Amino acid sequence: RRLSPTEAGQAYLNRVEAILDELEKAREDALGVGAQPTGTLRMTVSVAFGQRCLVPLLPRFAEAFPRLGLELLMTDAAIELVAERVDLAIRLGPTVSGDVVCAKLMDTRYRVCASPDYLERAPSLARPEDLRRHACLAFALPDYRSRWLFRAADGKASEVPVGGRMVISNALALRDAAIVGLGPALLADWLVDDDIAAGRLVDVFPEHRVTATSFETAAWLVYPSRAFLPNKVRVTIDFLRRHLGRA
């Protein structure tokens, strides 16, 4: 069961948080702007993005900020940042709720991928419409299950119905299923570009932009809106933009 504060309780919490922000700002002012961040940063990210993109950066993060602890909450659930005292989140969609700040970390792109073995034995995939004859691997979100959207180099957009027997709720497992030859899957570039370069997967329609939702997809930095942004959050945002940010 989920508990929520009363109106009076929420007002009290807002006032207390403002006071704590002022105390934190005063402490950092006393230490100096260039001081090393301290304390613990609570950060949340999806399981796949965290495993693929953040975990490899942890040694560099630890070296850059030796006095800063990190609590990395890897979950595909949409955590309420303020209620869970989360300092920073990375979200793979712009849909957020509550009093938060949302800033783009990096653009992303989706690709229809299949293994070389699958493409050798399956019916031809010369055009997006050919997916109708294939048992596609679906991600367990409503928009990803029934149709994929394509935009050709000339700007012409089309919608292709897709179907299959397997629906998977984890992007890493979906990628693995595609690699072992179970069918085509719609996967993000940050998840599969290394596999494509190594020959484990093939980008079936490289000349098309592909999506299940919007053609303009990105990873977003999300953090609670507050008058004072703690140094530990500010330096982490700069670190992530330096190592992951790309247009």
Side-chain angles (χ1 to χ4, degrees), residues 56-231:
L57 292 178
L58 292 184
R60 277 181 274 185
F61 185 87
E63 181 180 3
F65 311 117
R67 299 175 60 193
L68 179 62
L70 175 65
E71 188 173 345
L72 186 58
L73 310 175
M74 293 171 56
T75 174
D76 293 327
I79 292 178
E80 290 287 341
L81 304 190
V82 175
E84 299 296 334
R85 308 291 296 178
V86 172
D87 298 300
L88 181 64
I90 297 178
R91 297 276 168 83
L92 297 175
T95 302
V96 294
S97 60
D99 191 13
V100 298
V101 176
C102 188
K104 185 186 290 187
L105 172 62
M106 66 187 212
D107 290 318
T108 61
R109 182 169 179 169
Y110 282 80
R111 311 187 190 283
V112 176
C113 298
S115 70
D117 173 69
Y118 176 85
L119 294 174
E120 285 182 6
R121 55 183 166 79
S124 172
L125 271 174
R127 304 174 304 158
E129 292 77 11
D130 294 335
L131 287 167
R132 299 170 187 263
R133 298 184 293 145
H134 291 254
C136 296
L137 300 169
F139 191 56
L141 287 175
D143 291 334
Y144 289 76
R145 293 177 184 234
S146 59
R147 59 44 168 169
W148 296 341
L149 308 176
F150 291 81
R151 188 168 67 194
D154 61 5
K156 183 179 179 180
S158 61
E159 180 178 308
V160 177
V162 295
R165 294 180 298 147
M166 295 189 183
V167 179
I168 300 175
S169 65
N170 178 274
L172 290 167
L174 188 65
R175 161 190 167 267
D176 289 347
I179 288 175
V180 298
L182 292 178
L186 183 62
L187 296 162
D189 54 357
W190 50 263
L191 184 60
V192 297
D193 275 357
D194 288 348
D195 298 311
I196 293 171
R200 292 184 292 269
L201 288 172
V202 175
D203 184 355
V204 181
F205 304 111
E207 71 283 3
H208 285 77
R209 294 297 297 262
V210 194
T211 185
T213 53
S214 166
F215 288 108
E216 307 305 321
T217 55
W220 300 84
L221 295 164
V222 184
Y223 50 93
S225 178
R226 55 205 304 184
F228 167 68
L229 186 64
N231 188 38

Side-chain angles (χ1 to χ4, degrees), residues 17-53:
E17 287 181 339
I19 293 171
L20 291 175
D21 280 351
E22 285 299 318
L23 290 173
E24 180 70 11
K25 182 177 185 302
R27 187 185 71 84
E28 290 190 3
D29 287 345
L31 290 173
V33 175
Q36 275 281 343
T38 59
T40 299
L41 180 87
R42 281 174 58 84
M43 181 176 176
T44 183
V45 64
S46 73
V47 175
F49 193 91
Q51 184 70 38
R52 195 71 165 176
C53 299

